[in-house]
Amino acid sequence: MKITVVGAGAVGASCAEYIAIKDFASEVVLLDIKEGYAEGKAMDLMQTASLNGFDTKITGITNDYSKTANSDICVITSGIPRKPGMTREELIGINAGIVKAVSSSLIEHSPNTIIIVVSNPMDTMAYLVHKSTNLPKNRIIGMGGALDSARFKYRLAEALEGPISDVDGMVIGGHSDTGMIPLTRLATRAGVPVSEFLSAERLTQVLEDTKVGGATLTKLLGTSAWYAPGAAVSGLVQAIACDQKKVFPCSVLLEGEYGLNDISIGVPVIIGKNGIESIVEINLNDAEKASMKESAEGVGKVNALLEL
Ligand code: NAI
């Protein structure tokens, strides 16, 4: 299993590290535009192999896509991250050009690959990859919901004062501060609805804290986060590589599901060796349906800024 990660920055390197530590891939290729940068990150990571006990081979390359040939999975993290006070949507001007060029170069050398889009604004970048390549829709996956759901579970466990392993929950909708929909109604603690443990006010607080999860970290760090994003991407990569058929919320192209068309947005999907094996349609209540519609309108407005 060969995996290419484009962008050897904070998220790309973290993702490569988690993939390597889980030791399910034979090779990870890190590619960056900055001369020597990916080579340096790859060498540093390889020097953790004997310490962390993995055999995955990590190589770094500067912009030579021939070395990515025949990758089974390609992850796109190249582009700029947001700074404190910025929205993800403000990155579109620079990142759209980068994502379009990178996806085209990747497919030229790996026509059968599955692409995971991470660069922001992620839903729009995933949509751009659909529009600018002829890859089938099961092979383009936007990563956002897996991360947002992990942040939701963190906040739920904090409110419940219990272990995260007891908590389950999912965030659907657009990967933006206003577009995320943490499904509090369906969240559970050891199989019991969390509403049995938490007041409506406390649940609203969890929901609000989840939505600004990325912005909170950006303010603290001065740039966007990387550990949880890298771990979330590695989870998707592992689900494909090991054909796990695991459910994650991912940004996928909808064609009628959830009443939406011609848009990439976060919904639960089953991930396996074919990428998106199927879309899971949850029976949303009226309020959740309204939130989904509003979230899709927000993503649609950003998509309209693309020069297709
Ligand atoms: P970073 O600045 O640390 O790394 C980005 C890397 O991309 C840099 O090393 C840069 O040299 C490289 N790059 C730029 N243009 C390139 C090109 N044309 N070809 C190859 N490499 C190129 O940024 P970071 O923190 O790693 O974030 C990367 C992206 O991921 C940002 O757009 C950020 O907003 C997004 N992100 C998305 C998340 C999600 O849940 N979808 C979570 C966290 C970040």
Side-chain angles (χ1 to χ4, degrees), residues 11 116-120 122 126 141-148 175 228-230 232-234 236 249-251:
V11 176
I116 299 178
V117 182
V118 182
S119 310
N120 275 316
M122 182 279 294
I141 305 171
M143 194 296 289
L147 169 65
D148 300 332
H175 178 60
V233 178
S234 77
L236 296 186
C250 294
S251 189

Side-chain angles (χ1 to χ4, degrees), residues 88-281:
R88 295 175 177 90
E89 291 72 21
E90 287 173 69
L91 306 173
I92 190 171
I94 294 175
N95 287 357
I98 294 175
V99 169
K100 193 171 172 182
V102 165
S103 53
S104 155
S105 303
L106 287 171
I107 292 166
E108 191 185 331
H109 296 276
S110 304
N112 299 317
T113 196
I114 292 171
I115 292 192
I116 299 178
V117 182
V118 182
S119 310
N120 275 316
M122 182 279 294
D123 298 288
T124 297
M125 294 302 104
Y127 182 72
L128 173 64
V129 176
H130 280 291
K131 288 288 170 190
S132 59
T133 70
N134 55 8
L135 281 194
K137 66 175 198 162
N138 61 302
R139 292 208 262 129
I140 303 171
I141 305 171
M143 194 296 289
L147 169 65
D148 300 332
S149 299
R151 288 178 172 159
F152 184 34
K153 287 180 236 184
Y154 164 77
R155 288 299 183 188
L156 280 168
E158 180 184 58
L160 291 162
E161 297 179 22
I164 292 186
S165 57
D166 260 3
V167 172
D168 208 357
M170 184 179 282
V171 176
I172 61 169
H175 178 60
S176 69
D177 297 354
T178 51
M180 274 176 225
I181 309 167
L183 292 172
T184 48
R185 181 177 64 91
L186 302 177
T188 57
R189 177 190 199 177
V192 180
V194 290
S195 55
E196 296 290 334
F197 303 96
L198 298 172
S199 66
E201 293 74 34
R202 189 68 184 91
L203 267 175
T204 303
Q205 188 59 51
V206 166
L207 183 138
E208 292 307 327
D209 289 345
T210 302
K211 286 174 139 186
V212 296
T216 304
L217 283 162
T218 302
K219 206 166 151 198
L220 289 168
L221 297 167
T223 185
S224 68
W226 54 89
Y227 293 120
V233 178
S234 77
L236 296 186
V237 171
Q238 186 173 20
I240 300 166
C242 304
D243 194 23
Q244 288 177 324
K245 310 241 176 357
K246 266 183 105 159
V247 175
F248 294 92
C250 294
S251 189
V252 300
L253 189 74
L254 298 183
E255 290 170 315
E257 300 90 348
Y258 291 89
L260 298 170
N261 262 303
D262 194 34
I263 190 164
S264 289
I265 193 165
V267 295
V269 294
I270 296 176
I271 301 281
K273 65 178 186 312
N274 300 306
I276 297 154
E277 303 284 338
S278 61
I279 294 174
V280 181
E281 284 215 60

Side-chain angles (χ1 to χ4, degrees), residues 1-3 19 23-28 55-58 72:
M1 178 66 55
K2 178 172 176 179
I3 296 148
I19 292 170
D23 212 14
F24 59 84
S26 49
E27 188 180 359
V28 175
D55 292 321
T56 305
K57 183 181 166 212
I58 308 171
D72 300 285

